[in-house]
Amino acid sequence: LCVILGLILTRLMGHPNTITIPVTALLVVGTGQNSSKQGVRLYVARRVFIQILGTALLILPLLYLKIRLSLAPWLVVLLACAIPLVILFCIDYRWHISPMYITSVSVSTLILATGMVQSTRYPLTRILLVFTGGLLGYVLSAIVFPRDHGADAEASLEESVVRLEKCLQAVRRGDLDEGMRLLRQSDALFTGASASLANVTDGEQRK
């Protein structure tokens, strides 16, 4: 749905060769599996914020290089990214504005810089596409297919009990390696159950 609807929206918006909307929607849906509706909204907001901040830091050095110096586009991108990346990494280290390592400030800055070399209007297009993709992902993950965090926690706890029983049997027969493997799996399931329970809102059924 993210890919199909995302590509349709991309075509309707006049950018048929851009994958920003479906990719953003996929990232939002992936995040929404283990997060509350508020968490998904925050994720979308942070993605859009990174585009705006990256544009603000890039636009002056990039325009200066394009107007003042006759450089190859790849060199313009290289020089224009240098200062903004340092600033963005310092900000991200302090406040953790980047929602995921795979969509870190470096990736967003690089995409913005390469797009701005071709067209100074690209940042507005990029921000609009990211917002649209984020909105699509939010609708799919939080409204069309909402997570039942209580049921998720229950399933994780039931599976963890099974793994712990097997772990106990392995330890009793002296198979410590198998016991450790099962214990780690149980620990991961408990962590997932805890995260799911933390996302159960007051209006949802509690188990």
Side-chain angles (χ1 to χ4, degrees):
L1 282 174
C2 288
V3 173
I4 295 172
L5 295 178
L7 290 176
I8 292 174
L9 286 173
T10 301
R11 177 65 183 87
L12 292 175
M13 294 175 65
H15 303 281
N17 298 321
T18 303
I19 63 171
T20 302
I21 292 179
V23 169
T24 302
L26 285 167
L27 291 170
V28 172
V29 169
T31 301
Q33 291 181 348
N34 297 309
S35 182
S36 62
K37 290 184 179 180
Q38 182 178 357
V40 177
R41 289 195 295 267
L42 179 61
Y43 174 81
V44 174
R46 289 167 74 182
R47 280 193 57 80
V48 174
F49 176 71
I50 287 176
Q51 311 308 315
I52 296 174
L53 183 59
T55 299
L57 294 174
L58 267 173
I59 193 164
L60 289 180
L62 204 147
L63 289 177
Y64 177 83
L65 290 169
K66 286 183 66 176
I67 294 173
R68 294 291 183 178
L69 302 175
S70 298
L71 300 174
W74 71 270
L75 190 55
V76 173
V77 171
L78 175 64
L79 296 175
C81 283
I83 295 177
L85 277 177
V86 172
I87 298 174
L88 284 168
F89 276 126
C90 290
I91 294 174
D92 188 46
Y93 178 78
R94 175 65 178 83
W95 286 288
H96 305 291
I97 63 169
S98 182
M100 291 177 65
Y101 73 92
I102 200 170
T103 55
S104 64
V105 291
S106 58
V107 176
S108 296
T109 303
L110 184 59
I111 293 173
L112 284 167
T114 53
M116 290 171 70
V117 167
Q118 301 175 39
S119 172
T120 54
R121 297 177 58 186
Y122 178 76
L124 294 177
T125 301
R126 169 74 178 174
I127 293 170
L128 181 60
L129 292 174
V130 169
F131 175 78
T132 303
L135 182 60
L136 173 61
Y138 174 78
V139 170
L140 291 176
S141 65
I143 299 176
V144 179
F145 300 109
R147 300 286 295 192
D148 187 341
H149 295 291
D152 290 344
E154 183 179 4
S156 295
L157 289 171
E158 288 177 346
E159 182 62 25
S160 65
V161 170
V162 174
R163 299 294 173 89
L164 283 175
E165 289 176 348
K166 292 181 178 179
C167 174
L168 180 59
Q169 294 171 5
V171 171
R172 282 176 174 169
R173 65 175 180 264
D175 190 352
L176 299 183
D177 290 338
E178 178 67 6
M180 285 297 296
R181 185 183 70 83
L182 291 166
L183 187 61
R184 284 192 293 268
Q185 291 178 354
S186 298
D187 182 57
L189 288 167
F190 277 127
T191 301
S194 177
S196 294
L197 288 175
N199 288 320
V200 175
T201 61
D202 293 335
E204 294 175 339
Q205 181 181 4
R206 296 179 177 271
K207 295 189 180 180

